[in-house]
Amino acid sequence: MSLLDYELRRETPTRLFENNLCYVHPRAGIVPGAGKDGAPRVVMTMTTHNVLACDEYKKLLSMETDDLGARWTEPLVSDTMAPRLQAGGGYDGQDVIVATSDFVPQWHAASGKLLGTGHTVTYPLEFGYPLNRASRFPTYSVYDPNAGEWMPWRKLRIPDEAMSQNCSAGSTSRVDGPDGTILLPVCMMRRGITGKSAATVLRCEFDGAALHYLDHGDVLELTDRTRGFQEPSLARYREEYFLTLRNDRRGYVARSQDGLHFQEPMPWTFDDGSELGNYETQQRWVVHSDGLFLVYTRRGARNDHVSRHRAPLFMGQVDTDHLCIIRETERVLVPERGARLGNFGVTPISPEETWVTVAEWMQPVGCERYGCDGSIWVARIRWEKVNETFNGGTMTL
């Protein structure tokens, strides 16, 4: 197979590390033609995180550039995406706070809308460690380019009782069809089974305002003692679909002909047969008409001091015949500076360029001694060949 080359440039449009807060989950979507001189408007969302807590996400912020990153607006809190009080929403009927988190914006070409998806996280009124971790719901919101604001977030209603009480689209990547059909990967817990996640792909329709569940595909599960499959992301490349899956011990990948029904997942490896070394964190796809790539973190990079080996951030080209990473193509997209880089986003910007966005997640406490400062990184991949599958910020069916 032929190898695809690219140029790489890194930028840091903003940073945060003060009062025990840093940014996490920076992910971007585009509104084609809404920027300067016909350029896309790039809208990046992120969440603040308390580094002294675990998964404490309070505020979703948004920032924009209309000139491909030459100038960015300041990150501003989105009131419409704020956490909400839910009376009697706790296990014993106590009042709770419900937030939307792990948000991923992506252009939906058929409707001409920037649509973001995520999931709910439930907290006690004083915040802290999340409650009801088994009561998650997919969420979504639509960006209004005229107002420069996200519409109030909504829950995706799923009538299937087996998955309706614990289903998450947080930190997942979808594939859209030319007719507007959406294939949205999710993880879920079976009713009556706690601590074990399975993965599936929801087929949905989107009318430009509301997202509706239609059905779902195979449920992919593990029978070992890990927490199962989490944070799945889907890609389509040359008439096939590929699903990458997070797991406690190793990352997995599965192949499909229709995006709903998959062959048995297999662990990620390099092309020499050795394990990739990714574990306990997500992986994401970068799709080009002449090559499929995986973005990931892994062990074995002189990074034992980094939590869960979540830095540096690598990218390697995939051998799609054998479902492995071609080792000679592996490159560092974002360097390791002590902080973890495990929650990131991938955004097709134009036929010539794709961006990978990630924040320095400032944990464990003291990681700044290695040089990290809470920067948000934009790794700009400039392709040597035009990406013929680009369609206004999404990869079509």
Side-chain angles (χ1 to χ4, degrees):
M1 64 181 298
S2 60
L3 303 182
L4 179 64
D5 200 6
Y6 56 90
E7 295 180 355
L8 177 63
R9 188 174 75 192
R10 303 182 185 103
E11 299 172 354
T12 53
T14 191
R15 58 179 54 85
L16 175 67
F17 183 43
E18 59 184 37
N19 299 323
N20 299 319
L21 292 179
C22 68
Y23 291 135
V24 296
H25 304 150
R27 296 170 182 138
I30 72 168
V31 181
K36 183 179 180 180
D37 299 328
R41 173 178 296 171
V42 184
V43 182
M44 187 190 300
T45 60
M46 71 282 292
T47 306
T48 58
H49 180 260
N50 181 353
V51 301
L52 300 182
C54 178
D55 292 347
E56 184 178 300
Y57 311 124
K58 291 185 178 180
K59 300 176 181 178
L60 190 136
L61 302 92
S62 188
M63 60 187 294
E64 303 174 358
T65 177
D66 282 345
D67 52 14
L68 296 177
R71 290 173 298 275
W72 287 87
T73 62
E74 290 297 318
L76 297 176
V77 174
S78 177
D79 293 335
T80 56
M81 298 291 284
R84 303 171 186 171
L85 174 67
Q86 183 175 331
Y91 277 136
D92 57 359
Q94 80 269 33
D95 296 344
V96 293
I97 297 293
V98 179
T100 184
S101 180
D102 297 70
F103 196 67
V104 182
Q106 182 177 315
W107 180 249
H108 186 259
S111 65
K113 300 288 186 179
L114 179 56
L115 170 67
T117 52
H119 69 172
T120 58
V121 187
T122 304
Y123 299 96
L125 294 182
E126 66 275 14
F127 271 89
Y129 196 79
L131 296 172
N132 300 357
R133 295 178 71 90
S135 297
R136 296 175 299 179
F137 299 88
T139 59
Y140 67 95
S141 177
V142 181
Y143 176 77
D144 181 348
N146 296 319
E149 181 59 279
W150 291 92
M151 302 301 291
W153 61 269
R154 303 167 68 178
K155 293 180 181 179
L156 172 64
R157 302 297 177 183
I158 302 177
D160 190 305
E161 286 294 325
M163 58 195 305
S164 63
Q165 293 302 308
N166 184 1
C167 184
S168 166
S171 298
T172 69
S173 296
R174 68 179 200 256
V175 172
D176 300 341
D179 62 351
T181 301
I182 291 173
L183 297 179
L184 178 65
V186 298
C187 62
M188 64 179 187
M189 291 185 185
R190 300 277 202 175
R191 183 178 294 277
I193 301 176
T194 59
K196 191 80 168 182
S197 291
T200 190
V201 176
L202 309 184
R203 191 171 66 91
C204 304
E205 62 180 4
F206 177 61
D207 59 14
L211 186 64
H212 302 282
Y213 166 90
L214 298 175
D215 54 32
H216 65 273
D218 294 340
V219 176
L220 305 178
E221 299 180 276
L222 283 174
T223 58
D224 60 17
R225 294 187 178 183
T226 67
R227 291 183 296 168
F229 290 136
Q230 299 174 314
E231 295 177 338
S233 284
L234 184 68
R236 185 175 190 268
Y237 176 71
R238 295 187 176 177
E239 309 303 323
E240 289 188 300
Y241 295 83
F242 300 91
L243 190 70
T244 188
L245 301 139
R246 169 180 170 173
N247 175 255
D248 297 352
R249 296 175 180 168
R250 58 187 63 86
Y252 282 78
V253 59
R255 186 194 307 267
S256 170
Q257 298 302 310
D258 62 3
L260 293 169
H261 305 93
F262 289 86
Q263 298 175 12
E264 183 177 353
M266 54 189 291
W268 274 114
T269 66
F270 285 110
D271 53 350
D272 60 8
S274 61
E275 281 206 10
L276 182 63
N278 172 275
Y279 73 100
E280 192 62 295
T281 195
Q282 62 196 234
Q283 321 99 46
R284 288 185 178 276
W285 303 103
V286 171
V287 183
H288 187 285
S289 52
D290 291 302
L292 180 65
F293 295 78
L294 189 73
V295 182
Y296 54 92
T297 59
R298 65 170 177 83
R299 301 182 182 93
R302 298 182 179 177
N303 56 350
D304 289 348
H305 58 287
V306 179
S307 176
R308 296 179 180 175
H309 297 89
R310 287 185 175 183
L313 198 61
F314 293 100
M315 186 168 87
Q317 188 166 344
V318 178
D319 180 336
T320 54
D321 291 332
H322 302 95
L323 284 187
C324 59
I325 302 299
I326 304 170
R327 185 184 284 274
E328 68 174 291
T329 68
E330 184 184 73
R331 291 176 63 179
V332 172
L333 290 185
V334 179
E336 175 268 307
R337 302 199 303 177
R340 47 181 170 157
L341 302 171
N343 289 268
F344 54 93
V346 175
T347 310
I349 298 294
S350 71
E352 295 79 27
E353 194 161 299
T354 299
W355 292 4
V356 176
T357 55
V358 67
E360 290 182 327
W361 188 311
M362 300 297 287
Q363 287 177 313
V365 172
C367 62
E368 64 271 20
R369 69 181 181 273
Y370 296 101
C372 55
D373 60 5
S375 288
I376 285 183
W377 292 85
V378 177
R380 301 178 62 156
I381 299 163
R382 187 77 178 178
W383 300 111
E384 68 168 353
K385 296 181 180 179
V386 169
N387 185 2
E388 297 179 356
T389 62
F390 179 84
N391 184 21
T394 186
M395 296 301 160
T396 63
L397 298 179

